[in-house]
């Protein structure tokens, strides 16, 4: 029988090594050559290579991380995730340490994801490209943050106008500054409002509904209000940080760990942990039609779409 202490300590050592490897990857972003020890650590994980000037991050990985608008966003994000994990280890509530620069970096990242979502829906949903490119859709951006999601939709759809909702005054200040910088401020109305309080009817053609910024009670309360706020046949785009069950048995173990981590993190943050299947059931139960999954176009969240009934109940 395996000695419990030896088995546990071996597992701890393995996880500890993985944490340090992640930190080493984040610290490798940039132009400075890596030290011998730093490079060798990343090399044994297939993340670094040796060149004429010494060890460096693999060229293809370096291009991914340094090719972003804010190259320091990745190491800052990793550092914040590690700080959150340290808070969890000690049972502390994670304080809000995000500054304006970090919020803007996160917002731009969300905007890049939305571009992938729009591309996927253009390929999958008949008439979607026509609506964006030649229509005048009214867009509701739930949890607008710095306004990057709305900005992407406005850039993609010249005739669109948007309303961005958020309960954080600082986020709305940043969104106004960000949208003004892009020349889009006159096309996006921002409101300090909880989505559960929205009372409009037959107003929007598109709604963005990210569960990662909502607590479960708010998400539940918002669904019937959003269905009413959509015009007949209007499209809801809902995103969940959880994934569907893996198709291949070889993915099962990794997916189970990832899902368990995501659920615990969302529980600590008080956000909504609905798996795609549960989200789909809730959308159908609320009266949405044509509920379907668009998969994970960005690789990080699962996107579902649903339509408001084409004919209103009388």
């Amino acid at each position: 029988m395996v000695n419990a202490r030896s088995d546990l300590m071996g597992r701890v050592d393995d996880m500890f090594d993985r944490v340090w490897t992640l930190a080493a990857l984040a610290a490798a972003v940039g132009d400075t050559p890596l030290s011998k020890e730093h490079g060798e650590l990343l090399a044994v994980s297939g993340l670094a290579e040796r060149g004429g000037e010494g060890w460096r991050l693999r060229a293809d990985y370096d291009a991914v991380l340094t090719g972003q608008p804010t190259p320091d966003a990745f190491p800052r994000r990793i550092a914040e995730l590690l700080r959150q994990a340290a808070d969890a280890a000690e049972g502390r509530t994670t304080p809000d340490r995000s500054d304006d620069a970090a919020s803007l970096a996160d917002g731009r990242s969300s905007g890049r994801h939305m571009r992938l979502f729009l591309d996927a829906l253009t390929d999958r949903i008949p008439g979607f490209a026509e609506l964006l490119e030649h229509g005048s859709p009214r867009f509701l951006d739930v949890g607008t943050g710095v306004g990057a999601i709305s900005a992407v939709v406005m850039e993609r759809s010249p005739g669109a106008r948007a309303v961005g909702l958020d309960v954080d005054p600082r986020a709305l200040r940043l969104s106004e500054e960000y949208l003004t910088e892009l020349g889009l401020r006159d096309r996006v109305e921002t409101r300090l409002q909880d989505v559960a309080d929205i009372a409009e009817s037959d107003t929007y053609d598109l709604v963005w509904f990210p569960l990662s910024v909502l607590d479960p009670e708010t998400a539940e309360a918002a669904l019937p209000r959003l269905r009413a706020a959509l015009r007949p046949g209007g499209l809801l785009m809902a995103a969940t940080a959880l994934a569907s069950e893996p198709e291949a048995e070889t993915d099962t173990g990794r997916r189970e760990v990832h899902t368990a981590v995501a659920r615990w993190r969302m529980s600590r943050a008080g956000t909504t942990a609905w798996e795609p299947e549960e989200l789909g059931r809730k959308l159908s139960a609320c009266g949405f039609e044509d509920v379907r999954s668009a998969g994970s176009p960005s690789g990080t969240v699962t996107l579902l779409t649903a339509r408001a009934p084409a004919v209103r109940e009388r």
Side-chain angles (χ1 to χ4, degrees):
M1 184 174 181
V2 177
N3 180 278
R5 174 177 171 77
S6 297
D7 180 54
L8 176 60
M9 290 302 103
R11 289 170 179 260
V12 169
D13 286 344
D14 180 61
M15 290 184 283
F16 189 72
D17 290 342
R18 290 173 181 270
V19 169
W20 274 93
T21 302
L22 177 60
L25 174 62
V29 178
D31 297 328
T32 305
L34 309 179
S35 69
K36 176 177 179 292
E37 295 78 10
H38 191 175
E40 288 177 345
L41 167 58
L42 291 176
V44 297
S45 299
L47 298 169
E49 57 193 4
R50 191 167 188 170
E53 300 179 0
W55 290 100
R56 285 190 177 277
L57 195 62
R58 256 180 55 174
D60 52 346
Y61 292 169
D62 181 67
V64 171
L65 296 177
T66 60
Q68 302 181 46
T70 52
D72 66 337
F74 179 75
R76 291 182 65 172
R77 178 62 173 161
I78 296 302
E80 177 56 26
L81 289 173
L82 292 175
R83 282 190 287 265
Q84 291 177 14
D87 290 336
E90 296 186 336
R92 294 198 306 257
T93 300
T94 299
D96 182 3
R97 288 181 286 253
S98 62
D99 56 18
D100 287 0
S103 296
L104 286 167
D106 284 345
R108 293 189 184 98
S109 177
S110 297
R112 289 192 292 274
H113 290 177
M114 178 54 76
R115 287 189 177 91
L116 297 175
F117 298 156
L118 295 179
D119 288 342
L121 298 184
T122 294
D123 293 338
R124 292 167 181 254
I125 298 181
F128 190 76
E130 179 71 17
L131 174 65
L132 289 183
E133 295 168 14
H134 304 293
S136 301
R138 181 86 165 163
F139 175 60
L140 179 64
D141 183 6
V142 176
T144 191
V146 303
I149 296 288
S150 287
V152 168
V153 175
M154 296 304 99
E155 291 168 352
R156 190 68 166 268
S157 181
R161 301 189 73 83
V163 171
L165 306 182
D166 211 297
V167 295
D168 181 0
R170 184 174 75 96
L172 293 182
R173 172 180 61 79
L174 290 174
S175 71
E176 291 175 2
E177 295 171 359
Y178 182 72
L179 293 166
T180 298
E181 180 182 338
L182 295 177
L184 298 170
R185 183 68 187 89
D186 61 336
R187 294 174 59 197
V188 182
E189 174 191 350
T190 54
R191 298 179 189 168
L192 184 65
Q193 183 179 8
D194 192 315
V195 63
D197 295 330
I198 193 166
E200 294 162 285
S201 297
D202 297 347
T203 303
Y204 300 99
D205 302 285
L206 296 172
V207 169
W208 171 241
F209 186 59
L211 296 181
S212 61
V213 301
L214 303 171
D215 63 77
E217 292 76 15
T218 297
E220 290 272 12
L223 285 178
R225 290 177 176 265
L226 292 177
R227 191 194 70 174
L230 279 163
R231 290 171 176 155
L235 189 71
L236 178 84
M237 301 178 288
T240 173
L242 299 179
S244 299
E245 292 295 323
E247 295 182 1
E249 289 187 8
T250 54
D251 296 334
T252 301
R254 181 180 178 186
R255 176 59 60 193
E256 286 178 346
V257 172
H258 178 79
T259 299
V261 169
R263 283 189 174 280
W264 190 40
R265 288 182 59 201
M266 287 185 280
S267 173
R268 285 178 51 80
T271 54
T272 305
W274 295 346
E275 293 181 353
E277 295 80 7
E278 182 180 7
L279 173 57
R281 289 193 296 270
K282 289 180 180 292
L283 290 169
S284 296
C286 191
F288 284 93
E289 300 176 346
D290 193 24
V291 178
R292 62 176 73 183
S293 172
S296 300
S298 68
T300 57
V301 301
T302 304
L303 181 67
L304 271 69
T305 61
R307 289 196 180 277
V311 178
R312 292 295 191 202
E313 296 178 359
R314 295 183 180 276

